[in-house]
Amino acid sequence: MNRQLVTSSNLYAVGYDETDGTLQVEFHNGSIYEYYNVPDSVYQGLLDASSKGKYFYANIRNTYQDRQLT
């Protein structure tokens, strides 16, 4: 999955597969997580958020099933 760089003090890059709603989030510390069944509207909200870290913690983390890749 291709990830795009984002401007954030916590998140480094994000990617999204709209066919199955998988969101990948890469953090500045190098860890990568996948979040499953994330609606496109939530992904777009993340991209549009003025604070991507705050949006992520309020709307994605602990809301969707996840798995750490690295």
Side-chain angles (χ1 to χ4, degrees):
M1 174 183 308
N2 292 325
R3 292 185 296 274
Q4 64 182 38
L5 299 178
V6 293
T7 303
S8 170
S9 61
N10 195 12
L11 283 59
Y12 178 72
V14 297
Y16 185 69
D17 184 344
E18 60 190 31
T19 60
D20 63 5
T22 299
L23 172 69
Q24 281 189 357
V25 178
E26 182 176 353
F27 296 88
H28 281 287
N29 69 6
S31 62
I32 301 171
Y33 284 80
E34 279 189 341
Y35 297 85
Y36 303 106
N37 299 311
V38 177
D40 182 65
S41 59
V42 173
Y43 172 63
Q44 291 301 320
L46 176 62
L47 294 181
D48 294 340
S50 59
S51 173
K52 292 171 178 39
K54 285 182 183 177
Y55 184 92
F56 170 78
Y57 285 105
N59 298 286
I60 299 169
R61 185 171 184 245
N62 297 326
T63 299
Y64 297 97
Q65 180 182 1
D66 65 79
R67 175 174 72 109
Q68 184 173 3
L69 301 180
T70 61

